[in-house]
Amino acid sequence: MRTKDELFRAALREIAARRQRAVMQAEDARRAAFAAHPALAEADDAQRRAGLALAKTAALGGDVEAARRALADTEEGLHRAMQEAGYDTAAFRPAFSCPLCGDTGMRNGVPCSCVADIARRLRRDEINAASPLGLCQFSTFDVTRYADQVEPELGISPRTYMEKLLENCRSYAQKFSPKSTNLLFMGHAGLGKTHLALAIADAVLASGYDVLYTSSAALAARLSREHFDYDSGDEWLIACQEADLLILDDLGTEYITPLTISVLYELINTRMLTGRPTIYTTNITDQSVFVARYTEKVASRMLGGCKVYKFFGTDQRLP
C-alpha cells in the first residue's frame, strides 16, 4: 500500500510518460509526412528560418514589420503545403490525454484533476489486488438470499433487517466525509460484511476520497516485518494512518503478539485523534472475546468509537 504522497508521485510519473509518448508520436508522424512530401518539409523549414530571422531582427533593431510579414507568408505557404499533402493544421500536434493541462499535471498553478483521477485508479488497483472490489457493489448485494422468516432475536426477518442495513450503508457512502462515523460490522462468516465494506469503499473512492483496504492478517504481518526493517520507514502504517477511509477486514484472523497489539493501538488511536473514519469487520460476535483478544485499551477504542452493525442470517457463500 502506498501513501497519498507516493500515489501522487506515481500519478505524476504516469502523466509525464503520457506526455512524452504523445510528443514522440507527433514527431514520428511529422518526420514520416516530411519524408513522403518533400514540399511539406521545405515549407516547414522556410517557416522555421523566418521565425529565427524575426527573432534576430527584433534583437538587432532591424525592420521588424518586414520580418513579421515574411513569417506570415511562410506560415501561409506551410498551410497550403499541408492541405495539398492531405493534412490539417493539427496533424502534427501531440494528442495529449488531458486537454486541460496538456499532460503536464498542473493547471493554473495547482495539480490538475487528472492527477487525482489517476491516483484514485492506482488506489483502486491496489484494493482490487487484495480483495474482490470489482464484484462488491451495492447493486450486487442480494438481500433475497436472506431468510424471510421472522428471527426471534430481531423481531423481524433477516431479509428485512439486511435491507435496512444495506440502505444505511448506502447512505453512509453517499454522505461520507473525512469526519464520518467509524463502523464495526460483526457477524458470522459469509453474511456479507466484507461485501458491504467494499461497496462503501467503491462509492467513497468514486467521490474522490482516498480509501485503503487491508485484511487484519495482512496488516499485522506487514507491520511486523516493517517494525524490524529499519529502512522501510513504516510506509504501511503511515498509509493506514492517513487514508481518508480505512477498511480493516477480518479482525480476529491475525496472529496476535504484543507487537500486533501495540501497532494496532497506535493505528486506531492515531486515526481517532485525527478524526479519520475506519470500517472494521469481524467474525467475533461476543464483545467479551473481543476484549480478551485485543486488550481492554484497544477494544474500548474500537467498540466505543464505532457504530456497530450486527449481521444476521446464514452463510451466503454456501450454495
Side-chain angles (χ1 to χ4, degrees), residues 155-299:
I156 56 177
S157 70
R159 182 181 300 178
T160 300
Y161 176 86
M162 293 305 293
E163 285 175 344
K164 292 180 179 179
L165 199 158
L166 172 61
E167 288 309 309
N168 286 340
C169 290
R170 198 192 303 272
S171 176
Y172 179 91
Q174 290 172 344
K175 299 176 182 178
F176 180 84
S177 78
K179 300 299 181 183
S180 290
T181 307
N182 298 323
L183 302 180
L184 174 59
F185 294 168
M186 303 180 76
H188 296 301
L191 297 184
K193 301 182 299 297
T194 298
H195 188 129
L196 284 183
L198 288 173
I200 292 173
D202 183 69
V204 172
L205 267 173
S207 297
Y209 293 102
D210 182 45
V211 180
L212 196 148
Y213 166 91
T214 180
S215 69
S216 61
L219 178 65
R222 181 60 181 261
L223 293 181
S224 294
R225 290 197 298 271
E226 288 192 354
H227 180 76
F228 294 106
D229 180 3
Y230 297 106
D231 294 327
S232 71
D234 289 342
E235 289 90 352
W236 266 50
L237 183 58
I238 294 171
C240 289
Q241 287 174 341
E242 70 177 14
D244 296 325
L245 175 63
L246 172 66
I247 310 292
L248 187 53
D249 198 22
D250 269 344
L251 281 168
T253 60
E254 69 285 333
Y255 180 66
I256 288 291
T257 66
L259 175 60
T260 306
I261 296 298
S262 175
V263 172
L264 194 57
Y265 174 80
E266 180 182 355
L267 171 60
I268 294 169
N269 197 52
T270 298
R271 291 188 65 81
M272 285 185 66
L273 292 175
T274 55
R276 294 188 174 106
T278 304
I279 298 177
Y280 308 93
T281 79
T282 181
N283 293 348
I284 301 173
T285 57
D286 188 329
Q287 293 192 10
S288 63
V289 174
F290 214 83
V291 173
R293 180 176 178 81
Y294 293 109
T295 74
E296 184 175 355
K297 186 167 70 170
V298 175

